[in-house]
Amino acid sequence: MGTIRILIADDHAIVRKGLRTLITSEPGMEVVGEAADGIEAVQKARSLQPDVVLMDISMPGCGGIEATRRLKESRPDI
């Protein structure tokens, strides 16, 4: 199996940094991008093609639940 490509979506930079540190310390996992809100997460997921999106539920603007719904419409494989 290849490397698992992960997109982190959270409105708190310190949380994103911590998750990036944990994920990159694991073999076989790669953080391909970060997003600060749901709209950015959807846009980046479409362009970066991650295998997994680690999504915060509560973010300003478009939250994680709505962003996940939008992602599932265009990228049901994530």
Side-chain angles (χ1 to χ4, degrees):
M1 184 171 176
T3 301
I4 299 170
R5 298 168 41 83
I6 301 168
L7 172 66
I8 300 170
D10 196 293
D11 58 322
H12 296 97
I14 191 77
V15 173
R16 292 193 310 269
K17 182 178 180 181
L19 289 170
R20 177 181 281 277
T21 300
L22 287 171
I23 292 166
T24 57
S25 70
E26 291 295 320
M29 294 184 170
E30 172 188 13
V31 176
V32 294
E34 296 180 15
D37 62 45
I39 293 171
E40 184 181 15
V42 172
Q43 291 169 345
K44 287 194 173 183
R46 288 177 179 159
S47 65
L48 297 172
Q49 304 290 307
D51 300 309
V52 174
V53 178
L54 188 55
M55 185 89 70
D56 183 11
I57 292 176
S58 178
M59 293 183 284
C62 177
I65 294 173
E66 175 61 21
T68 300
R69 185 188 65 74
R70 292 179 187 183
L71 265 178
K72 291 303 284 180
E73 289 176 357
S74 63
R75 290 286 319 276
D77 56 313
I78 294 178

